[in-house]
Amino acid sequence: MNLIDRYVAEVGRHLPEKDRADIEAEIRSLIEDMLEERGQSAKSADEKSIAETLEELGDPKLLAYKYSPVKRYLIGPDWFDLYLTTLKRVLFTALPIVAMIAFVVAFSIAPLDFGNAAGDAFSRVINIGIGILFWVTVGFIIAEHAGAKPEELGVSKIKAWTVAHLPKLPAKRQIGASEVLTNIVFLTIFLAWVVLPPFTAWLRGDEGFVQVFHPNLWNVWLPIFFVIAVLTLILELFKLKIGNWTPSLTASNVILCIGSIVYIIALVTTQKVFNPVFLETLTQNASAEELSKITSWAAWSVNLSAAIMVGIYIWDMADSVIKSRRLAQGK
Amino acid sequence: MDNDELVQNMLLELRRGVLSLAVLSQLGKEQYGYSLLKALADQGMEIDQSTLYPLLRRLEAQGLLQSDWRIVDEARPRRYYVISAQGKAALAKLKKEWSAMAATMTKMLS
């Protein structure tokens, strides 16, 4: 009898609490039926027949699994695709933003310390990335085990399918991937030029590095510059993904171009861009006359660069609008 | 996976769907698990206890069977299963499908 008790208990151990007693009773009844089949009474069966009977029934754990409605996986096929898509989408949108914000914040607290800012951004990306991974996964595990179906979220896979669901053949792209990647590379180089110590702190003066840009700019203007740069980077990624000047993409581009133009004009008309100390250091042994020459040259070069950049933005804006028209007309 | 194992897996899949139908068809009259097992085996449908018992419970949870612990003929108490109204309706539909499918398969395989 002892063997039977142990077998039944072992089955029960792998069963959900609420069904346990009932299934245990049924298994016990089954074992007794099987013993009677061998011509033995359940009460007086010999050890050998009991052992053979239980072995015929097989591994109690496997028997319990056949009963158990408990899912032996965390996220099943119903949810898995949606889970992966969601995870990718969240990670790829959130992490770059987190990285940039962390970088800008760390940088505005301790300017010039590029290594520290990059390290800070990196560790935050890792932390938040793991956090996102964890919570998205937990959410899907709960959905799976609460017995929900993806259809209930309106994300049915078995939505009536029509040919309208067929994806378009890869269309001719107006915006080449290489064009976008080039922009991204240039943007990155430009960003590096602004923030990296070898450039920002161009010259080594008597008291350490001297910044190229005016220290006042760190308060508002450089952070705004970073925001614009991040937005531009995001827009470039969308250009890469969409490939054509759709109305929303064109609108975003126009808005960003106008924003950038306003920023550039406001910057050069209201602010001193170069650090005066930098100019002095640059012309250490120069006469007052030469210094004023250099200063006015610096002002000119700033205005000229600004004008060129405004021109590029206007061209870019017009280009996107014209191409967007062409797209709408199906050319 | 060698060929024997492959065939074994395909057989398992074939039987999985058929077993529910077989069980429903034999429970017009109430039976306990072990007597059903014998009845199925007698007609040539061999099935493991560890497959049949969980299957009975699953069909009951789906509303296709009803069950009761009962003492019949002064024996030990046993859980007796019988087909429910919902089960009968399902069985009628399945029977029709099965006949059509069996006819098609017989034609295809001959």
Side-chain angles (χ1 to χ4, degrees):
Chain A
M1 222 27 206
N2 184 31
L3 268 181
I4 300 179
D5 288 340
R6 278 162 57 195
Y7 187 91
V8 170
E10 181 63 10
V11 175
R13 204 164 68 81
H14 295 283
L15 289 171
E17 181 89 52
K18 65 179 171 61
D19 301 328
R20 190 172 296 155
D22 201 35
I23 294 177
E24 280 182 359
E26 197 169 13
I27 297 286
R28 192 179 290 276
S29 159
L30 166 64
I31 293 169
E32 287 166 0
D33 283 332
M34 288 169 78
L35 284 170
E36 281 171 19
E37 172 90 4
R38 291 170 175 264
Q40 307 244 355
S41 126
K43 299 248 154 57
S44 61
D46 58 84
E47 192 97 338
K48 185 165 162 281
S49 317
I50 293 178
E52 282 170 7
T53 303
L54 296 181
E55 277 159 18
E56 191 187 334
L57 258 183
D59 187 340
K61 191 167 60 193
L62 293 182
L63 180 57
Y65 285 174
K66 287 191 178 176
Y67 270 105
S68 172
V70 170
K71 293 168 179 166
R72 299 205 176 263
Y73 48 80
L74 290 178
I75 299 172
D78 279 348
W79 287 100
F80 190 70
D81 287 337
L82 187 63
Y83 165 67
L84 268 192
T85 318
T86 308
L87 198 58
K88 273 188 215 155
R89 205 176 291 162
V90 174
L91 286 178
F92 284 128
T93 46
L95 293 187
I97 296 173
V98 166
M100 287 313 260
I101 292 175
F103 189 88
V104 169
V105 168
F107 214 90
S108 49
I109 292 168
L112 303 193
D113 197 347
F114 176 77
N116 173 53
D120 196 51
F122 182 73
S123 73
R124 267 168 218 277
V125 162
I126 296 288
N127 276 334
I128 292 178
I130 289 173
I132 288 172
L133 182 67
F134 177 76
W135 287 111
V136 170
T137 307
V138 165
F140 274 87
I141 291 172
I142 291 172
E144 173 72 64
H145 292 264
K149 287 266 165 283
E151 292 85 66
E152 290 159 14
L153 293 182
V155 286
S156 166
K157 285 183 291 184
I158 45 176
K159 196 165 20 176
W161 187 88
T162 68
V163 282
H165 289 91
L166 281 175
K168 291 203 181 76
L169 287 178
K172 257 183 126 180
R173 292 170 63 104
Q174 288 181 318
I175 309 165
S178 55
E179 176 191 333
V180 174
L181 292 176
T182 314
N183 287 351
I184 291 176
V185 169
F186 275 114
L187 192 65
T188 314
I189 293 173
F190 187 61
L191 264 174
W193 181 73
V194 174
V195 301
L196 281 174
F199 297 99
T200 37
W202 226 7
L203 292 180
R204 197 179 254 290
D206 299 332
E207 291 164 25
F209 285 112
V210 178
Q211 290 183 58
V212 178
F213 295 111
H214 202 288
N216 288 350
L217 294 180
W218 282 109
N219 299 333
V220 183
W221 292 90
L222 277 174
I224 294 178
F225 167 79
F226 288 126
V227 171
I228 292 177
V230 170
L231 291 176
T232 308
L233 210 57
I234 293 171
L235 184 77
E236 291 297 332
L237 293 177
F238 271 102
K239 279 163 73 177
L240 189 63
K241 184 166 183 286
I242 297 172
N244 283 303
W245 287 110
T246 59
S248 53
L249 189 62
T250 312
S252 312
N253 188 51
V254 168
I255 292 169
L256 195 54
C257 284
I258 293 176
S260 307
I261 291 171
V262 169
Y263 173 81
I264 291 169
I265 293 175
L267 177 70
V268 297
T269 51
T270 65
Q271 300 294 313
K272 286 200 173 73
V273 176
F274 283 117
N275 185 357
V277 182
F278 166 73
L279 293 177
E280 277 166 30
T281 316
L282 193 65
T283 56
Q284 235 160 11
N285 302 317
S287 62
E289 196 183 329
E290 275 172 323
L291 179 62
S292 99
K293 231 184 198 171
I294 290 281
T295 309
S296 76
W297 166 82
W300 260 107
S301 71
V302 165
N303 287 341
L304 184 65
S305 320
I308 291 173
M309 284 171 73
V310 167
I312 290 175
Y313 275 118
I314 290 174
W315 180 81
D316 184 38
M317 204 157 57
D319 184 56
S320 67
V321 170
I322 290 167
K323 283 183 175 161
S324 147
R325 272 254 191 84
R326 246 183 253 162
L327 183 73
Q329 292 164 350
K331 282 182 199 164
Chain B
M1 203 187 287
D2 65 25
N3 213 32
D4 283 351
E5 205 180 331
L6 207 77
V7 170
Q8 210 55 46
N9 280 341
M10 290 174 80
L11 265 178
L12 265 177
E13 276 175 40
L14 258 181
R15 279 169 56 87
R16 195 171 296 150
V18 175
L19 282 178
S20 305
L21 184 55
V23 166
L24 286 178
S25 75
Q26 298 304 302
L27 284 177
K29 199 183 85 204
E30 69 169 15
Q31 301 214 51
Y32 60 94
Y34 205 67
S35 66
L36 176 62
L37 187 104
K38 290 286 151 208
L40 286 170
D42 285 347
Q43 298 177 69
M45 181 64 78
E46 298 278 354
I47 179 172
D48 278 345
Q49 300 93 332
S50 64
T51 304
L52 180 64
Y53 278 66
L55 174 62
L56 284 170
R57 208 179 166 81
R58 196 156 52 242
L59 291 173
E60 191 195 7
Q62 290 165 346
L64 302 174
L65 298 179
Q66 292 167 338
S67 82
D68 247 328
W69 281 97
R70 196 174 310 172
I71 299 173
V72 176
D73 298 335
E74 294 174 19
R76 290 174 290 105
R78 290 179 172 118
R79 187 194 270 278
Y80 281 80
Y81 291 90
V82 70
I83 194 165
S84 68
Q86 198 189 333
K88 280 178 190 158
L91 178 61
K93 271 187 205 156
L94 288 169
K95 258 179 167 170
K96 238 165 102 189
E97 286 294 328
W98 173 260
S99 312
M101 208 185 289
T104 309
M105 287 313 294
T106 312
K107 216 183 322 168
M108 286 171 80
L109 296 179
S110 61

